[in-house]
Amino acid sequence: LLSTHLFTGMIECSECGAKLHIETATGRGGKTYSYYNCSNAIKSGSCPSHRISAPELDELLVDAICSRVLSRRNVVDAAADMRSALGMWSEQRKQEMAAFRHQIEQASKRSEGFLNAIVEAEQAGVDRMFLLEKFNEQETRRKQLGAELGSLENTKDVHFTMDDDELDDFRDDLIYIIKSSENVKKTRMFFSSM
């Protein structure tokens, strides 16, 4: 839809159930006014015309959505969810690092076992090429695990901390962004996804 009004086609006529669409009219001074009206009233006149000022209805509905969706309680709950998600992420990271450390320890033990076997094979005069290949494979794996562990260790923990005033400011900022957005298409997509 190319409408510049947020709720075109998203709200319905209370009499016939058809979608409301924008209808415009030009006033005496040449100013154009936009109204929501029943699509049946616009197309065929089969429903009584119920013009509703589009800017007024948009403002009313945006206020209603923002007060409900972005209520202080919902924002506080969302902040708690973010804290919880970050806590789970941090815990998962710790578990992954512990698993890498364990794998590195196991690879080191296998490498040590291959080294001992290489020394024994050398003393016994047995070909040790197979053992050297296996040792090199274990060392490569150990180094890869070490690099992955290092990468995890270099990722810093993050925490979501907002006091009550910051949460209120955040909520106000979100409402302002929604109400002042000039991208009607994205705002319509946001509202229609609710």
Side-chain angles (χ1 to χ4, degrees), residues 62-63 66 70 168-182 187:
V62 168
D63 286 346
C66 287
L70 296 175
D168 288 337
D169 289 345
F170 177 65
R171 178 182 173 269
D172 291 343
D173 290 345
L174 288 174
I175 291 170
Y176 174 78
I177 289 167
I178 290 168
K179 287 184 174 184
S180 64
S181 174
E182 293 182 15
T187 307

Side-chain angles (χ1 to χ4, degrees), residues 9-133:
M10 293 170 60
I11 48 182
E12 298 174 349
C13 175
S14 62
E15 292 197 29
C16 73
K19 301 289 184 185
L20 296 187
H21 289 280
I22 293 298
E23 182 178 43
T24 59
T26 305
R28 289 191 188 115
K31 182 176 178 183
T32 302
Y33 296 91
S34 297
Y35 300 94
Y36 284 102
N37 201 355
C38 172
S39 57
N40 284 336
I42 295 170
K43 290 178 187 174
S44 64
S46 62
C47 186
S49 181
H50 300 287
R51 288 179 155 186
I52 304 167
S53 168
E56 288 177 22
L57 188 60
D58 283 353
E59 183 178 351
L60 175 78
L61 293 176
V62 168
D63 286 346
I65 290 170
C66 287
S67 68
R68 176 141 183 154
V69 173
L70 296 175
S71 68
R72 184 153 202 306
R73 178 78 256 149
N74 285 351
V75 172
V76 167
D77 289 348
D81 290 347
M82 288 186 270
R83 281 187 201 98
S84 176
L86 287 173
M88 287 188 294
W89 174 80
S90 180
E91 187 57 37
Q92 180 183 353
R93 225 176 103 253
K94 288 175 186 173
Q95 290 174 2
E96 288 175 6
M97 288 190 293
F100 277 120
R101 287 186 187 107
H102 178 73
Q103 290 177 33
I104 290 168
E105 181 183 324
Q106 295 301 311
S108 294
K109 286 180 181 177
R110 284 190 291 275
S111 290
E112 187 177 327
F114 283 121
L115 276 178
N116 290 336
I118 290 168
V119 169
E120 290 173 13
E122 186 174 29
Q123 290 172 351
V126 178
D127 181 22
R128 56 186 204 261
M129 289 308 293
F130 172 75
L131 294 171
L132 282 170
E133 287 176 22

Side-chain angles (χ1 to χ4, degrees), residues 127-191:
D127 181 22
R128 56 186 204 261
M129 289 308 293
F130 172 75
L131 294 171
L132 282 170
E133 287 176 22
K134 289 297 180 186
F135 171 77
N136 287 333
E137 287 174 13
Q138 279 304 309
E139 282 300 292
T140 299
R141 177 70 181 139
R142 188 182 60 78
K143 288 176 185 174
Q144 289 171 340
L145 290 168
E148 291 181 49
L149 175 62
S151 176
L152 278 175
E153 289 174 335
N154 288 332
T155 303
K156 303 296 180 202
D157 262 347
V158 292
H159 303 281
F160 182 85
T161 55
M162 278 190 179
D163 62 28
D164 286 347
D165 290 337
E166 291 170 321
L167 274 175
D168 288 337
D169 289 345
F170 177 65
R171 178 182 173 269
D172 291 343
D173 290 345
L174 288 174
I175 291 170
Y176 174 78
I177 289 167
I178 290 168
K179 287 184 174 184
S180 64
S181 174
E182 293 182 15
N183 190 330
V184 174
K185 183 178 180 182
K186 283 189 178 182
T187 307
R188 284 174 54 81
M189 286 174 37
F190 172 71
F191 287 147

